[in-house]
Structures are given as C-alpha cells and as structure tokens.
C-alpha cells in the first residue's frame, strides 16, 4: 500500500475511533493542538523532522511545537500529553523501521507513536521518509480531532447554502456567518476584524488549470475596495493528489494577494472531480491574519475542507 493510501486509511480509523470515544473515562490530555512530546530522541533526529517549516506560509513556522525528554524522565505526568513520539532502537527486536501507533492509552484525546528501528544508523539513513510519515500521521490525528469537534458543534445556515447550491455537505464553525452568493460561487467567512477566515466554493470545467481557474473566479467574485483590485495568486506550490476516505482530490497550497493592495495571506484549495457533471468542485480556504501565527488556523481551515463531500441521495 502506498504511503498516501496508508495514511488515508489511518485517518479513516482515527475518525472512527474519535467518534466512538466522545465519552472516554480517561483524563483529559494535556497540551495544545500540534504540540508533541518526543521521548528518548537520540541525536535530536525526530525533533529536527517535526520542526521542519510548514510549506505554504508567508513566514517560517515549525510543523509542530516539540518538547523533548529522556526516557528516564518519561513519567506519569508526561504520559498525559496529547501527542507522544517514542523511540525504540533495538536490533534484537526490530529488523526494519516501523511506525506503530496507539490511541488514548493514558489520556483522551491522545496519540502515541513509537518509531521502531534496528539501529540509530538505520534511522539516520531513512530519516526523511520516517519524518514525512510521522508528520502526516500526527497532522491527521489533529485533523480528525477538529472534525470531531465540528461534528459536535457546527453552524447550519451557511452549511445548507453549500448543500443547496453545490449538492455538497460541509461542516462549518458557527462563527462563519457572513456570506456572499452568486451563480456557481459561494463565499463564507467569520468576518473577523483583526483576522479573517474564509471558505470559497465554486466549480470549474474538468481539465481546467487550478491556478488559472481560481484567479479568474476570484477576479470576478472577490474584488477589492477600488476598481482593478481583486484577489489573485502570489505564489503556488506544486499540486498534489491526496487520498481521503471519501475519494481522491487535488490539493494546492500557496499565497494569495489583493492585486493593487498590500493585503495577502496563505490559501489551500481542494478540488474534487465530478465526472457526471463534467466539472471540478473546488473548496478553497483563505486566511488574512497580519502579524499573527498562521499554522494552526490554516490547519483548522483545511480540516473544514476535509468535511466536504457529496450529499447522499
């Protein structure tokens, strides 16, 4: 099974498990989203991988906020952390590198990942692949937790607009109450003052270049305050195919800007092929948060995009 397909299966399992443990009798885990406790990290290898910069942000932010302790200091209090990464280097027990994970062992919600390896040199040689899988696994665990929270508490009016116009379901936080609707386009936002989170839904013909398509849609539907101003693409990363429990989708990340102004920020776009109607259904999240950290907000926005799926008839 490919890495992406394996991680999609893991995400599906995490979502199912999270949904079944709403009323866990375990104590609440400690720490904030995207905080990770790394135990016994020899040479700081895993810490270096977990603190790599997040792609697609205007400033450098680490993938995770990492705390590290030795195995000797991994005690009853530290076992309550929400995300824990353990290392198990033992040639007598392991013949290959493997990532093993458990949920809600000491607290809820909690993910404990054990990186097993025959030797430190083996881990060195495969560090890039291990780091990539570890970052994805931890990110998907946090995504599943946020989606579970959305399932428990979400708005309805704006979600119904999405379903009615595009034949989709989408879970939105209750604070997403501002909207702008046009033929084939819907903008929904929390309409914040210091910062603003927005979701756009629109369609494009199958085969459309996503960057060119988004630019044409944004120029038409998201103009600025003065003539000639509109949202456009400032920078874009290569598209990737993401395997999810509800099917494959194209994902691109980058930076948006207001043409003719100084506004801008990160965006992430999910495109789902609808071959029956010969179209791409696009859900895009944009963040405007000048002078603020953006990693967690962008990850929460992308979690919202992961709830997008066709309405079941």
């Amino acid at each position: 099974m490919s890495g992406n397909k394996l991680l999609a299966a893991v995400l599906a399992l995490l979502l199912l498990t999270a949904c079944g443990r709403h009323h866990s009798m375990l104590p609440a885990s400690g720490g904030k989203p995207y905080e990770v406790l790394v135990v016994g990290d020899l040479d700081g290898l895993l810490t270096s991988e977990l603190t790599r910069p997040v792609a697609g942000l205007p400033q450098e932010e680490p993938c995770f906020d990492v705390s590290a302790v030795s195995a000797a200091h991994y005690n009853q209090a530290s076992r309550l952390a929400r995300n824990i990464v353990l290392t198990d280097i033992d040639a007598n027990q392991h013949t290959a590198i493997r990532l093993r994970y458990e949920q809600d062992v000491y607290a809820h919600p909690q993910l404990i990942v054990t990186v097993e390896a025959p030797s430190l040199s083996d881990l060195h040689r495969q560090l890039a692949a291990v780091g990539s899988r570890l970052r994805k696994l931890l990110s998907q665990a946090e995504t599943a937790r946020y989606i579970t929270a959305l399932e428990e508490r979400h708005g309805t009016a704006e979600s119904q607009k999405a379903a009615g116009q595009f034949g989709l379901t989408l879970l939105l936080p209750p604070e997403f109450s501002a909207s702008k609707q046009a033929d084939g386009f819907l903008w929904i936002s929390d309409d914040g003052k210091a910062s603003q989170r927005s979701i756009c839904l629109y369609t494009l013909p199958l085969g459309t270049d996503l960057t060119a398509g988004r630019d044409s849609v944004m120029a038409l539907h998201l103009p600025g305050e003065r003539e000639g101003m509109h949202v456009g693409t400032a920078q874009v990363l290569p598209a990737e195919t993401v395997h999810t429990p509800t099917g494959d989708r194209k994902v691109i990340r980058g930076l948006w800007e207001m043409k003719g102004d100084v506004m801008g920020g990160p965006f992430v776009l999910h495109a789902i092929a609808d071959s029956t109607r010969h179209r791409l259904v696009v859900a895009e999240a944009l963040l405007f948060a000048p002078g603020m950290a953006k990693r967690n907000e962008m990850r929460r926005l992308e979690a919202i995009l992961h709830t997008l799926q066709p309405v079941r008839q």
Side-chain angles (χ1 to χ4, degrees):
M1 183 181 290
S2 72
N4 269 344
K5 289 183 178 178
L6 174 61
L7 289 164
V10 168
L11 176 57
L13 179 60
L14 287 168
L15 283 167
L16 288 172
T17 308
C19 290
R21 296 196 179 191
H22 288 181
H23 305 291
S24 171
M25 299 301 291
L26 293 168
S29 57
K32 300 176 182 178
Y34 301 100
E35 289 185 347
V36 181
L37 176 69
V38 179
V39 181
D41 186 15
L42 301 175
D43 291 352
L45 297 180
L46 299 179
T47 297
S48 67
E49 287 297 312
L50 291 173
T51 54
R52 284 182 176 271
V54 177
L57 295 184
Q59 74 271 355
E60 191 169 294
E61 296 184 46
C63 287
F64 298 93
D65 300 319
V66 176
S67 301
V69 298
S70 65
H73 290 90
Y74 182 48
N75 54 30
Q76 186 172 357
S78 57
R79 285 187 175 93
L80 298 180
R82 68 188 283 124
N83 299 306
I84 301 173
V85 175
L86 306 173
T87 53
D88 184 3
I89 311 295
D90 190 337
N92 294 322
Q93 297 292 325
H94 312 303
T95 58
I97 291 179
R98 186 168 78 106
L99 269 63
R100 176 171 54 84
Y101 75 91
E102 303 171 277
Q103 287 197 92
D104 294 4
V105 178
Y106 306 108
H108 170 82
Q110 184 180 65
L111 180 68
I112 299 179
V113 184
T114 302
V115 179
E116 301 173 344
S119 68
L120 193 58
S121 59
D122 284 314
L123 184 56
H124 264 286
R125 281 192 294 271
Q126 299 185 49
L127 185 60
V130 170
S132 177
R133 290 178 60 200
L134 187 57
R135 290 191 300 271
K136 287 181 180 178
L137 184 57
L138 291 164
S139 292
Q140 288 179 328
E142 293 288 8
T143 294
R145 292 165 186 164
Y146 187 68
I147 291 174
T148 298
L150 279 176
E151 289 172 340
E152 294 175 345
R153 183 176 179 271
H154 57 270
T156 56
E158 301 306 327
S159 299
Q160 288 169 356
K161 283 186 181 180
Q165 186 170 349
F166 296 92
L168 304 168
T169 60
L170 182 69
L171 298 180
L172 291 163
E175 60 269 23
F176 277 63
S177 57
S179 65
K180 173 184 177 181
Q181 192 167 5
D183 185 30
F185 179 83
L186 177 64
W187 169 84
I188 311 169
S189 174
D190 64 356
D191 204 22
K193 302 307 178 186
S195 65
Q196 186 177 91
R197 298 171 293 159
S198 301
I199 300 286
C200 293
L201 296 176
Y202 53 92
T203 60
L204 297 169
L206 277 178
T208 302
D209 177 83
L210 287 173
T211 302
R214 80 173 295 272
D215 279 347
S216 63
V217 169
M218 296 300 171
L220 179 63
H221 294 293
L222 290 184
E225 293 181 350
R226 297 192 300 273
E227 186 176 352
M229 288 185 176
H230 62 85
V231 170
T233 305
Q235 179 183 323
V236 66
L237 299 177
E240 56 181 311
T241 300
V242 174
H243 307 286
T244 77
T246 56
D248 293 356
R249 54 182 68 186
K250 288 287 185 183
V251 176
I252 61 171
R253 308 171 196 281
L255 302 178
W256 65 271
E257 64 180 355
M258 182 65 74
K259 301 292 185 180
D261 202 350
V262 295
M263 292 177 63
F267 77 89
V268 59
L269 178 157
H270 285 209
I272 303 172
D274 180 358
S275 55
T276 303
R277 301 182 185 180
H278 305 287
R279 65 178 187 173
L280 289 170
V281 178
V282 179
E284 178 175 342
L286 304 95
L287 177 65
F288 177 63
M292 300 179 185
K294 298 171 177 61
R295 179 196 66 194
N296 287 12
E297 287 296 348
M298 282 304 299
R299 285 175 168 170
R300 282 190 279 264
L301 283 168
E302 186 160 9
I304 294 171
L305 301 188
H306 276 293
T307 70
L308 183 78
Q309 54 186 307
V311 173
R312 296 176 182 174
Q313 300 298 329

